[in-house]
Amino acid sequence: MSKLEESLLLKLRDPRITLNNFGTVVDQETGERIDFDPNKIAPGLQNDILGFVGEAPRMSTGHKKWKVILSSRQTGKSVCTALSGYCRVAYTPGIYGAVIADNRERSIDLFRNINQMHEHMPDDIRMPTIPNRESRQLTFMHGGTIRTLSAESNMVGIGRAIDMLHASEVPFWADAAGVFSGIIPAFVNRKEATIICESTPAPMSAPSAGYFRDMCAEARKGMGRWEFSFHPFFASRLNERVWDTTWRLTNEEVALLERFGGDRHSGKGLPYMTVENLAFRRALMGLDPEIRRNPNLFWVYYPVDPISCWAEAGGGVVPAHALEKHQKGVLVPWHPDRKGYQEYVAPKPSAQYVIGVDPCGWMGGDPASIQVLEVWEDRWEQVAVMNNNMIDPPRLAQFIVGLARKYNDALVIIENNGVGLGVLSPLVTAMEAGEIRNLYYSQRGIKAKPGIAATSKSINEGLGYLIDALMDTLVIHDQETIDQLATYRHDKLTEISEAAKILNPDKVGRGRRARHHWDRCSALMWACLGARELPSKFRPKAVREKHGELFDVDRSLWSIDQQYAAQKAEKKARKSLRKGEDRVKRPRRRHWINQT
């Protein structure tokens, strides 16, 4: 092959060149074949796919990264990815590309799109094919081989040295975990191997929804070779309808525009929600019987963020209604410092704090998690989070000592069974040395027991307090915390003991799943349990005004009884704030120690 031919193949295998100049697709509206245009339907998503296949980012080792894409229906993600894979395989000698769809019908449809575009390519650049006996497969004379497969087949893709993998609608695969476990080893050592996993979110009742949801979570955190892309439903021009000028916005629609509308997003160059997107939602509610019967399904198939779309039928122990207001709030993505620590609110001199800890063991297997809450009578606010799987118990204890000092000698509550003993021991020593003031004790006296035992009683009690707090006083800022709460399955009650793990090292049994942890949930649960033990403390008026919770009220229309009640309440509040201090109830000393 001449250098000219090699140079031409190098350009043609880039879908940004081939598809944009020579590609064709079937128009959904007219059914006619038209030129491929990535900007017609969902510019952000389709250009993201083309750019990744054309020039994928690499790790420091030189290996190409792999892509996980989460987006709504009506974005063309499956067809765009399949056609991009065609460009890569047709003009790269010797490689093997596979498209795995969730069922046979979709694999046939995707192959039809690939084959029709191949037939409509200009003669001078269309790569000749070699006849073969395999169904849904193209083998190119000077290129590679591409084939579409169905995830319904047993052992699909296993045993093949795949260079380009397109995994479509993974949540609906019968056994995505088993398939990827069999084929990922073929990719691990290949620097040029490309993987794109794309799907619409799915109800958690779908066979592999949990697996794909975990894959998205890992990709968001940048674990391994994965990178993550999310595209909301309003990023697709197909998800728009004409807004009738006689319509009036509902309160829910007003809230959606305030959160996702142009004022917040357009100045940043991001897609934003319009009334045309709301008109599409109204139209779909009337057309789709499934969504009409269960309106929450709309946010699953047409998501606005990568977190709340997985809450539907999540199977977790935290009820969906307890998380609803938090999912609609402004959540901060997890971008921690090198210690795995992220702070949301700085310490206040007059505030009291509690630190809930889910401890770690040795060798970095189980992440350590810390939740710091600022506790007032009517508001518990998450102010800091630590999550780190590369820390050992002594260093974790040292970190807790510094954190407790920073947050006004916060009350520290930590498990005292299992791996928690490795963290509690140096904390007790630090307390005796005066380095830490407040440590939660479940029992005092001669048989004093620092920390709290993770028993079925204490876990159920802590979980109940957590759910109550989510519905009433708790304010959460961390996106990953909400992500874990949405699918928390009470793993502490089903986890086998450390002794049982040692006695049965090869037996998985009913232990915690190796790929997933809910450590943030456990730490938050203990923090909520500890918050209830703190004395009641009322927020100053200036703090409540800053949060927008106090408003000027016109009392001219109040009755005499209402005015009298208001005056009485104000008098009582002034009395409680005398000398500039908040009213404090006597703590229950049997539960915690406060050294001065």
Side-chain angles (χ1 to χ4, degrees):
M1 186 180 295
S2 67
K3 291 185 178 181
L4 179 61
E5 290 174 331
E6 291 180 359
S7 176
L8 179 61
L9 290 179
L10 184 63
K11 292 181 179 180
L12 290 175
R13 72 184 59 155
D14 188 337
R16 293 172 294 182
I17 296 175
T18 303
L19 288 184
N20 286 335
N21 290 280
F22 311 109
T24 58
V25 291
V26 175
D27 183 52
Q28 293 188 25
E29 185 175 2
T30 63
E32 299 177 354
R33 182 156 290 277
I34 60 174
D35 292 338
F36 176 85
D37 181 5
N39 300 312
K40 185 174 182 179
I41 297 177
L45 181 144
Q46 296 199 15
N47 282 296
D48 183 22
I49 295 171
L50 298 183
F52 182 82
V53 178
E55 189 176 1
R58 295 179 183 269
M59 302 179 66
S60 58
T61 58
H63 292 77
K64 282 186 176 181
K65 287 193 172 184
W66 302 333
K67 189 84 163 178
V68 177
I69 299 175
L70 186 68
S71 72
S72 75
R73 294 174 173 177
Q74 306 291 341
T75 57
K77 58 186 177 299
S78 296
V79 173
C80 182
T81 307
L83 298 183
S84 298
Y86 162 85
C87 298
R88 168 89 188 280
V89 172
Y91 302 103
T92 306
I95 74 169
Y96 176 72
V99 179
I100 304 180
D102 54 318
N103 55 52
R104 183 174 180 274
E105 289 71 22
R106 277 181 46 78
S107 70
I108 293 174
D109 289 340
L110 289 175
F111 180 76
R112 185 183 298 114
N113 280 280
I114 293 172
N115 192 49
Q116 288 181 355
M117 192 188 78
H118 171 72
E119 293 176 350
H120 286 82
M121 292 289 282
D123 293 339
D124 53 347
I125 67 166
R126 181 171 62 235
M127 180 65 71
T129 58
I130 302 172
N132 65 85
R133 296 183 179 180
E134 298 288 347
S135 62
R136 304 191 299 277
Q137 176 175 308
L138 292 176
T139 302
F140 302 96
M141 183 174 295
H142 301 296
T145 297
I146 187 168
R147 186 180 182 187
T148 63
L149 305 167
S150 168
E152 295 174 332
S153 304
N154 292 329
M155 308 297 284
V156 59
I158 295 177
R160 298 298 300 268
I162 305 175
D163 301 280
M164 172 75 195
L165 174 64
H166 168 202
S168 180
E169 302 298 337
V170 178
F172 301 98
W173 291 17
D175 181 22
V179 173
F180 276 93
S181 178
I183 63 178
I184 285 296
F187 288 89
V188 170
N189 296 318
R190 293 172 174 265
K191 286 189 175 182
E192 302 301 318
T194 301
I195 300 179
I196 296 183
C197 300
E198 50 82 8
S199 182
T200 298
M204 295 303 291
S205 57
S208 295
Y211 179 86
F212 187 68
R213 180 190 172 282
D214 291 347
M215 181 183 287
C216 291
E218 292 173 1
R220 280 203 321 274
K221 300 172 188 175
M223 297 175 64
R225 290 173 66 172
W226 297 109
E227 74 167 31
F228 180 71
S229 289
F230 171 74
H231 301 272
F233 90 95
F234 46 81
S236 172
R237 296 188 176 117
L238 292 180
N239 296 334
E240 297 177 354
R241 296 293 185 272
V242 177
W243 177 265
D244 191 330
T245 56
T246 63
W247 291 346
R248 293 293 178 266
L249 292 170
T250 65
N251 291 337
E252 182 183 13
E253 290 170 338
V254 170
L256 287 170
L257 289 177
E258 288 177 351
R259 183 180 177 190
F260 301 107
D263 293 341
R264 184 181 292 270
H265 292 77
S266 60
K268 302 178 183 179
L270 300 174
Y272 56 90
M273 186 181 293
T274 65
V275 292
E276 286 75 20
N277 299 125
L278 297 178
F280 169 79
R281 177 171 175 258
R282 288 190 179 191
L284 202 66
M285 290 289 189
L287 293 174
D288 191 323
E290 187 180 14
I291 293 178
R292 185 170 64 250
R293 298 188 192 104
N294 187 357
N296 286 332
L297 276 178
F298 179 87
W299 304 117
V300 176
Y301 298 131
Y302 298 91
V304 292
D305 63 70
I307 302 298
S308 62
C309 57
W310 300 106
E312 176 67 23
V317 295
V318 180
H321 68 269
L323 295 173
E324 186 176 359
K325 70 174 182 179
H326 302 282
Q327 291 167 337
K328 293 180 179 179
V330 179
L331 299 174
V332 181
W334 182 245
H335 297 299
D337 61 17
R338 60 185 178 85
K339 295 181 180 179
Y341 176 77
Q342 188 157 295
E343 183 178 292
Y344 306 99
V345 182
K348 298 183 179 70
S350 61
Q352 58 182 354
Y353 297 89
V354 62
I355 297 175
V357 183
D358 184 88
C360 63
W362 294 93
M363 306 304 291
D366 183 24
S369 187
I370 294 175
Q371 297 276 4
V372 185
L373 299 183
E374 180 182 305
V375 181
W376 301 95
E377 175 70 18
D378 59 341
R379 181 184 176 93
W380 299 355
E381 183 174 9
Q382 181 190 50
V383 296
V385 175
M386 193 277 277
N387 200 82
N388 190 338
N389 65 348
M390 300 300 293
I391 193 170
D392 53 48
R395 287 193 298 154
L396 177 61
Q398 186 179 7
F399 184 85
I400 292 172
V401 170
L403 196 62
R405 283 181 174 180
K406 178 179 179 180
Y407 282 97
N408 302 348
D409 295 322
L411 171 64
V412 177
I413 177 169
I414 182 173
E415 295 178 27
N416 62 11
N417 49 340
V419 296
L421 292 174
V423 183
L424 266 174
S425 179
L427 284 180
V428 172
T429 303
M431 187 170 178
E432 293 172 351
E435 297 176 359
I436 184 174
R437 291 180 179 272
N438 297 322
L439 184 63
Y440 185 95
Y441 273 68
S442 57
Q443 185 174 332
R444 294 190 61 205
I446 299 177
K447 297 182 179 180
K449 291 183 180 179
I452 183 169
T455 64
S456 59
K457 179 181 178 181
S458 64
I459 291 171
N460 284 323
E461 184 180 20
L463 181 63
Y465 293 156
L466 171 60
I467 295 174
D468 288 343
L470 286 168
M471 293 190 295
D472 299 328
T473 58
L474 191 58
V475 177
I476 295 181
H477 299 293
D478 177 37
Q479 188 180 75
E480 292 297 325
T481 298
I482 293 296
D483 189 13
Q484 289 190 11
L485 285 170
T487 55
Y488 178 51
R489 291 184 179 87
H490 229 338
D491 64 323
K492 283 191 172 294
L493 288 183
T494 59
E495 185 180 11
I496 61 176
S497 67
E498 297 299 320
K501 292 177 183 177
I502 294 173
L503 293 173
N504 299 277
D506 299 324
K507 187 175 180 181
V508 177
R510 53 187 177 87
R512 179 184 296 181
R513 291 185 299 163
R515 296 188 66 256
H516 196 101
H517 298 280
W518 288 287
D519 301 274
R520 294 174 198 248
C521 301
S522 300
L524 187 60
M525 181 175 67
W526 298 136
C528 289
L529 190 148
R532 294 176 65 92
E533 302 296 333
L534 289 177
S536 298
K537 195 170 186 179
F538 294 88
R539 289 180 296 156
K541 182 178 178 181
V543 175
R544 288 181 288 157
E545 288 176 343
K546 183 178 180 181
H547 286 293
E549 299 171 7
L550 293 181
F551 305 94
D552 293 331
V553 179
D554 182 6
R555 300 183 180 181
S556 61
L557 300 179
W558 282 19
S559 67
I560 297 298
D561 292 340
Q562 287 175 318
Q563 294 184 29
Y564 175 77
Q567 292 173 359
K568 188 176 180 180
E570 290 174 356
K571 184 178 179 180
K572 185 177 179 180
R574 285 196 300 270
K575 185 177 180 180
S576 67
L577 294 174
R578 188 175 298 164
K579 298 181 181 180
E581 297 181 355
D582 298 325
R583 179 170 61 87
V584 179
K585 295 179 181 177
R586 180 179 295 275
R588 287 182 285 179
R589 308 272 309 168
R590 63 185 178 85
H591 287 294
W592 63 301
I593 294 177
N594 184 10
Q595 291 188 352
T596 58

